[in-house]
Amino acid sequence: MERLLVDTNIVIDLLAKRNDFFLEAQELFTLADRKELKLFVSSLTFANTYYILSQKLKVKEARKILRKFKVLVEVLPMDDKIIDLSLDSDFKDFEDAIQYYTAIENEIDIILTRNLKDFKTSKIPVLTAKNYVEIRK
């Protein structure tokens, strides 16, 4: 079964129901719900998503949404090695470096993001949710 790391932007697309990107995110997470693939997120994604949701919703509602969401993904830890690799990397965006090295350290097959340009030097495939869902059809 494919192991995919989902970047924060796609998680927020789904949970905040972002107009232009919600349907493709929904298709992706439906595949996970059907156990057709295994989705992972970094612990940083969980924290960042909570922060974004709590800006628009009441704290209890944001937590409720994340509790329901958590059944679709496995949350991967961030450790000293991931932080060190990220700090020493050529990534311009530190958060993207954390996502990338979380994927590398956990033997992820594919990274899914809308931010392809920041993963140009990736050693593993990087796709958008839309591209991934289209390839699977």
Side-chain angles (χ1 to χ4, degrees):
M1 184 178 302
E2 281 187 308
R3 297 165 47 89
L4 297 95
L5 181 94
V6 184
D7 196 4
T8 306
N9 50 36
I10 295 174
V11 173
I12 294 171
D13 291 344
L14 177 76
L15 299 180
K17 298 182 180 176
R18 288 183 175 158
N19 286 340
D20 294 340
F21 307 104
F22 173 73
L23 290 178
E24 60 204 47
Q26 184 181 41
E27 284 184 63
L28 174 69
F29 286 97
T30 297
L31 293 171
D33 191 38
R34 291 184 191 147
K35 308 287 189 236
E36 294 181 31
L37 49 82
K38 183 79 174 142
L39 296 179
F40 297 84
V41 296
S42 70
S43 54
L44 179 61
T45 289
F46 229 79
N48 288 345
T49 301
Y50 171 77
Y51 176 78
I52 297 294
L53 290 177
S54 68
Q55 299 301 302
K56 299 178 187 269
L57 305 169
K58 293 181 180 177
V59 169
K60 274 188 169 183
E61 186 62 23
R63 288 184 183 196
K64 181 179 176 183
I65 288 169
L66 284 174
R67 271 192 203 95
K68 287 181 181 179
F69 172 72
K70 191 172 178 304
V71 303
L72 297 174
V73 298
E74 183 176 324
V75 180
L76 298 173
M78 192 174 12
D79 60 17
D80 280 346
K81 185 175 182 182
I82 290 169
I83 295 299
D84 286 341
L85 288 166
S86 299
L87 288 170
D88 294 337
S89 76
D90 292 332
F91 277 81
K92 291 178 185 172
D93 185 314
F94 184 62
E95 191 265 344
D96 288 337
I98 290 172
Q99 301 290 5
Y100 177 71
Y101 287 106
T102 297
I104 294 293
E105 290 301 304
N106 288 279
E107 300 178 351
I108 297 296
D109 300 313
I110 299 171
I111 297 171
L112 298 178
T113 184
R114 276 194 291 105
N115 196 14
L116 296 176
K117 66 178 172 37
D118 286 345
F119 291 89
K120 284 182 184 175
T121 60
S122 177
K123 293 178 183 172
I124 58 177
V126 180
L127 300 168
T128 65
K130 183 177 184 177
N131 292 145
Y132 182 79
V133 169
E134 287 172 354
I135 289 169
R136 286 195 51 104
K137 288 182 179 178

